[in-house]
C-alpha cells in the first residue's frame, strides 16, 4: 500500500511515543519506529534505513564529536578540572555564596574546553557538590546549581551540539561558536545573580579571600588548560583548521597536559579513557543515524511543507515564529536527547525559519539554548540525573530549586529572541561572510 502523510506521521510518532513509554532507549526507539512505515509503504525498502544511516555518518565534521568527548574525559581524568576549580575560587570565591559562584565559574571555564554538559556535570559535580554540602549549603541547592550551570557546556564554545548542528544544517560552525559566546556569558552571569540572592537569603559563606600569591598560583596552574579554547576557536574562526581538526588538536593537547605537564594521566589510564570515550561517542553517533532516518521519513511525507503552510496561515511573523520555535525545542527537550532533536525537529523547522526570514545562526542558537535547558528538566534531564545521583537525592526532591534557578536563564533566552543582535554581534564582527 501507499501511506498518506497523516497515516505515516501517526505511525512514526505513535510508535516512537509508545517505545519511549516502554522505556526503550531513545536511539533505538527512533530506529524501531521507522520500521512499520518502511514495511507498509511499497515505495520504500528496508535498505532505505541502512542507506540514510550511512549518509548521516558520511560527514567529516561529525568526527569532531568523539574527539571533543575524548578531550573532556582527558581533562577530568587528568585532574585538570581541579586546576580550573582553583582558578574559579580565586575569581569568584570572595563573593557571598562563594562556592556557588565557583560552581558557575568553573562550568563556564570547563565549557570553553570540553563542549559537553554531561562531562561538566559529572567531572565538576563530583568535587563541588560534596564540597558545598560540607560547607553548609543546602543539598538541593548544591545539586540544582551544579546541574543548571553545566548546561553552559553546550552553549559556550566549543560545543558538540553546535558541531552537530553545523554538520546537519550546513551552517558555519565558527559562526555558531561566536554566536554562542555572549548568550553563554549572560546565562552565566544570571546564574551568579541567582547564587548571590540565595547567599543573602540563607547567609551562605564566603569561600576565600584570595591573596596575590594564591591568585598567581591559580592562574599559573590553569593557564595551559585555558589555552585549549584559544586553539580551538581561533583556529576555526581564522580558517586555519576545520572543526574536526580542532577537536583532534584539543584531544592531543589534553593528553599532552595530562601525561607530560601535570603527570596525572598514566599510560595505564589511556585505555579506560579511550573505552569510555568510544562508548559515549557510539551512543551519540548511533542516535544521529536513527534520527536521520526518522527525519528523512518526515521530509519524504512532506511534513515540513505542511508545517510551513500552517505557520504562514497563522501569520505569526518573525518574533512569533521564534517564540514557537523556542517552545517546540523546549518541549521536545523534555523527552528526547538534544542530538536526535536537532536532526528531527531542526531539519523540519529550518524551512519554517527561512520562510519567516530568520537568520540560520539565530535559529541555531535559539534551538541549542532551548535544548540545553532540556538537560535539567525531567523526565529526560540527563545533567540533573547525574547531579542528583552524585548528591544522593531524588530528582523530584530538587525540582523546586531547579525551577527557581531556571527562571533567569529563560529570561536570557527570551532576551535573545527579542534582540537577536546580542548573539549576532560577534559573528558579524569576526565572520561577516558566514552571517550574511
Amino acid at each position: 500500500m501507499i501511506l498518506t502523510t497523516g497515516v505515516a506521521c501517526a505511525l512514526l510518532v505513535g510508535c516512537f511515543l509508545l517505545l519511549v513509554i516502554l522505556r526503550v532507549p531513545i536511539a533505538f526507539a527512533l530506529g524501531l519506529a521507522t520500521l512499520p512505515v518502511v514495511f507498509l509503504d511499497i515505495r520504500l525498502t528496508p535498505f532505505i534505513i541502512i542507506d540514510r544511516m550511512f549518509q548521516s555518518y558520511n560527514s567529516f565534521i561529525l568526527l569532531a564529536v568523539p574527539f571533543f568527548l575524548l578531550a573532556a574525559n582527558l581533562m577530568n581524568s587528568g585532574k585538570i578540572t581541579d586546576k580550573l576549580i582553583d582558578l574559579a575560587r580565586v575569581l569568584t570565591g570572595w563573593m557571598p555564596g562563594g562556592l556557588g559562584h565557583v560552581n558557575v565559574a568553573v562550568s563556564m571555564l570547563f565549557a570553553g574546553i570540553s563542549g559537553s554538559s554531561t562531562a561538566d556535570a559529572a567531572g565538576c559535580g563530583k568535587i563541588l557538590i560534596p564540597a558545598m554540602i560540607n560547607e553548609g549549603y543546602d543539598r538541593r541547592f548544591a545539586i540544582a546549581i551544579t546541574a543548571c550551570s553545566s548546561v553552559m557546556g553546550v552553549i559556550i564554545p566549543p560545543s558538540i551540539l553546535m558541531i552537530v548542528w553545523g554538520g546537519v544544517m550546513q551552517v558555519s560552525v565558527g559562526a555558531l561558536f561566536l554566536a554562542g559566546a555572549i548568550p553563554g556569558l549572560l546565562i552565566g552571569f544570571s546564574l551568579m545573580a541567582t547564587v548571590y540572592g540565595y547567599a543573602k537569603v540563607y547567609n551562605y559563606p564566603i569561600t576565600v579571600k584570595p591573596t596575590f600569591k594564591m591568585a598567581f598560583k591559580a592562574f599559573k596552574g590553569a593557564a595551559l588548560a585555558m589555552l585549549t579554547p584559544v586553539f580551538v576557536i581561533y583556529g576555526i574562526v581564522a580558517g586555519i583548521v576545520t572543526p574536526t581538526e580542532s577537536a583532534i588538536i584539543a584531544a592531543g593537547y589534553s593528553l599532552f597536559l595530562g601525561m607530560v605537564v601535570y603527570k596525572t594521566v598514566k599510560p595505564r589510564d589511556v585505555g579506560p579513557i579511550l573505552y569510555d570515550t568510544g562508548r559515549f561517542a557510539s551512543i551519540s553517533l548511533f542516535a544521529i543515524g536513527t534520527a536521520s532516518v526518522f527525519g528523512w521519513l518526515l521530509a519524504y511525507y512532506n511534513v515540513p511543507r505542511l508545517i510551513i503552510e500552517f505557520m504562514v496561515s497563522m501569520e505569526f511573523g518573525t518574533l512569533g515564529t521564534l517564540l514557537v520555535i523556542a517552545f517546540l525545542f523546549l518541549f521536545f527537550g523534555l523527552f528526547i536527547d538534544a542530538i536526535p532533536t536537532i536532526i528531527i525537529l531542526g531539519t523540519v523547522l529550518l524551512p519554517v525559519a527561512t520562510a519567516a526570514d530568520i537568520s540560520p545562526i539565530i535559529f541555531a542558537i535559539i534551538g541549542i539554548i532551548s535544548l540545553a535547558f532540556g538537560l535539567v528538566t525531567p523526565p529526560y534531564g540527563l545533567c540533573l540525573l547525574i547531579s542528583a545521583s552524585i548528591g544522593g537525592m531524588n530528582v523530584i526532591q530538587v525540582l523546586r530549586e531547579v525551577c527557581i534557578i531556571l527562571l533567569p536563564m529563560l529570561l536570557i533566552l527570551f532576551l535573545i529572541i527579542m534582540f537577536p543582535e546580542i548573539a549576532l554581534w560577534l559573528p558579524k564582527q569576526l565572520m561577516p561572510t558566514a552571517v550574511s
Side-chain angles (χ1 to χ4, degrees):
M1 72 176 72
I2 295 177
L3 299 180
T4 63
T5 297
V7 172
C9 283
L11 278 173
L12 278 171
V13 177
C15 289
F16 172 70
L17 292 176
L18 176 63
L19 291 167
V20 169
I21 292 169
L22 294 174
R23 302 185 70 83
V24 175
I26 294 296
F28 290 94
L30 287 168
L32 292 172
T34 64
L35 293 178
V37 174
V38 169
F39 283 118
L40 288 174
D41 197 318
I42 60 173
R43 296 170 297 178
L44 304 173
T45 68
F47 293 106
I48 286 289
I49 296 175
I50 299 171
D51 179 67
R52 296 316 305 176
M53 289 185 72
F54 177 78
Q55 291 297 326
S56 69
Y57 298 139
N58 191 24
S59 171
F60 180 69
I61 197 171
L62 288 183
L63 284 174
V65 174
F67 283 106
F68 271 121
L69 287 173
L70 176 59
N73 284 342
L74 286 166
M75 288 284 177
N76 280 330
S77 301
K79 308 298 181 184
I80 297 171
T81 304
D82 296 352
K83 308 287 184 184
L84 298 178
I85 290 175
D86 290 340
L87 176 58
R89 282 180 185 271
V90 168
L91 292 174
T92 61
W94 52 271
M95 293 187 282
L99 263 186
H101 293 292
V102 170
N103 200 320
V104 176
V106 78
S107 290
M108 295 170 76
L109 295 172
F110 195 81
I113 296 172
S114 71
S116 169
S117 290
T118 51
D120 183 352
C124 301
K126 287 176 184 176
I127 301 170
L128 287 171
I129 291 176
M132 291 180 71
I133 294 169
N134 290 337
E135 286 206 12
Y137 289 80
D138 181 77
R139 185 182 295 267
R140 291 170 300 176
F141 174 71
I143 293 168
I145 194 65
T146 301
C148 291
S149 65
S150 68
V151 306
M152 291 184 288
V154 294
I155 300 172
I156 294 176
S159 160
I160 289 175
L161 292 191
M162 290 179 185
I163 291 168
V164 173
W165 193 293
V168 172
M169 311 284 188
Q170 302 300 306
V171 181
S172 167
V173 173
L176 292 180
F177 280 0
L178 292 173
I182 293 177
L185 291 174
L186 289 175
I187 289 172
F189 294 145
S190 73
L191 284 168
M192 286 186 171
T194 306
V195 171
Y196 185 84
Y198 266 90
K200 287 299 184 181
V201 172
Y202 297 102
N203 198 28
Y204 287 146
I206 292 172
T207 302
V208 63
K209 292 182 179 179
T211 62
F212 177 78
K213 183 178 180 180
M214 291 172 59
F216 179 77
K217 183 180 178 182
F219 276 100
K220 182 181 177 182
L224 291 175
M226 291 309 300
L227 285 175
T228 308
V230 176
F231 294 149
V232 171
I233 298 169
Y234 175 77
I236 294 173
V237 172
I240 299 172
V241 294
T242 65
T244 301
E245 291 163 347
S246 73
I248 295 170
I249 291 170
Y253 184 62
S254 301
L255 182 63
F256 173 76
L257 289 181
M259 294 192 73
V260 179
V261 178
Y262 300 126
K263 294 182 170 53
T264 49
V265 175
K266 308 300 181 185
R268 66 175 179 272
D269 299 327
V270 175
I273 291 171
L274 290 173
Y275 170 77
D276 285 341
T277 302
R279 187 160 56 90
F280 285 114
S282 63
I283 294 170
S284 298
L285 292 172
F286 182 68
I288 289 173
T290 54
S292 296
V293 180
F294 195 97
W296 181 85
L297 284 173
L298 289 176
Y300 181 80
Y301 288 102
N302 292 316
V303 173
R305 179 178 60 80
L306 296 175
I307 293 176
I308 292 173
E309 290 175 357
F310 172 75
M311 297 285 281
V312 170
S313 67
M314 295 298 291
E315 297 182 352
F316 285 122
T318 300
L319 178 60
T321 303
L322 277 173
L323 289 170
V324 171
I325 287 170
F327 170 78
L328 289 172
F329 276 113
L330 285 167
F331 178 75
F332 273 71
L334 294 173
F335 307 99
I336 309 177
D337 185 46
I339 290 178
T341 307
I342 288 172
I343 297 168
I344 297 169
L345 189 60
T347 52
V348 168
L349 291 179
L350 179 60
V352 175
T354 304
D357 199 28
I358 295 169
S359 162
I361 304 295
I362 286 298
F363 173 58
I365 294 302
I366 297 301
I368 288 168
I369 294 175
S370 302
L371 288 174
F373 293 166
L375 292 168
V376 291
T377 49
Y380 178 70
L382 189 55
C383 288
L384 180 57
L385 289 172
I386 292 170
S387 301
S389 175
I390 294 170
M393 293 191 81
N394 187 283
V395 167
I396 302 300
Q397 293 175 290
V398 298
L399 200 54
R400 173 180 171 272
E401 309 300 321
V402 169
C403 291
I404 292 171
I405 296 171
L406 266 178
L407 278 177
M409 299 169 69
L410 287 168
L411 287 176
I412 298 298
L413 173 61
F414 182 70
L415 186 68
I416 295 164
I417 291 172
M418 293 294 294
F419 306 101
E421 288 300 316
I422 293 173
L424 289 176
W425 184 77
L426 261 183
K428 283 185 176 180
Q429 298 302 311
L430 300 177
M431 296 185 71
T433 55
V435 180
S436 57

